[in-house]
Amino acid sequence: QVQVVESGGGLVQPGGSLRLSCVASGSIFRISVLAMGWYRQAPGKQRELVATITSGITNYADSVNGRFTISRDNANTVYLQMSSLKPEDTAVYYCNVKPIIGPDYWGQGTQVTVSS
């Protein structure tokens, strides 16, 4: 009933830029979405918060603060503009959708690989 789809991942060289997109569709209406965000998981590591946004208020992990920017076109679409990418940014990036009521929804992830 709810679809969360990420796109924009790929291979990029260190110092490069990449923009991830996430679109939530289905039964989610803009008024029902409290927040959206990005998490990432590298091999052998726990999934960690990258950035979240709600009502224009953003929150970033220390590791990406100043390099990444999260934004929203509407209540169901979120972007992650990544710049000055580092090899340690390599991970599967997951989109998170937090409704006002009920459990969060997650996308399947998009691979970001930063390597020369």
Side-chain angles (χ1 to χ4, degrees):
Q1 191 170 34
V2 175
Q3 290 182 303
V4 181
V5 181
E6 306 98 334
S7 63
L11 175 64
V12 64
Q13 294 187 337
S17 299
L18 207 61
R19 190 178 79 154
L20 306 183
S21 300
C22 172
V23 179
S25 62
S27 63
I28 295 181
F29 296 93
R30 61 183 303 165
I31 194 171
S32 73
V33 177
L34 177 63
M36 299 182 73
W38 291 94
Y39 292 71
R40 67 186 182 187
Q41 186 169 22
K45 297 184 178 181
Q46 297 292 322
R47 187 174 299 186
E48 64 177 356
L49 181 147
V50 177
T52 60
I53 184 167
T54 178
S55 298
I57 301 173
T58 58
N59 180 51
Y60 298 93
D62 290 342
S63 59
V64 307
N65 200 6
R67 300 187 297 117
F68 291 10
T69 301
I70 188 170
S71 62
R72 295 174 70 175
D73 279 348
N74 52 59
N76 296 330
T77 304
V78 65
Y79 303 94
L80 185 68
Q81 179 66 50
M82 305 182 291
S83 62
S84 301
L85 283 162
K86 305 174 181 179
E88 50 263 46
D89 294 319
T90 297
V92 177
Y93 284 70
Y94 296 92
C95 181
N96 170 262
V97 179
K98 185 177 182 63
I100 297 174
I101 300 175
D104 290 8
Y105 295 96
W106 296 87
Q108 293 299 306
T110 184
Q111 177 71 49
V112 172
T113 302
V114 184
S115 177
S116 59

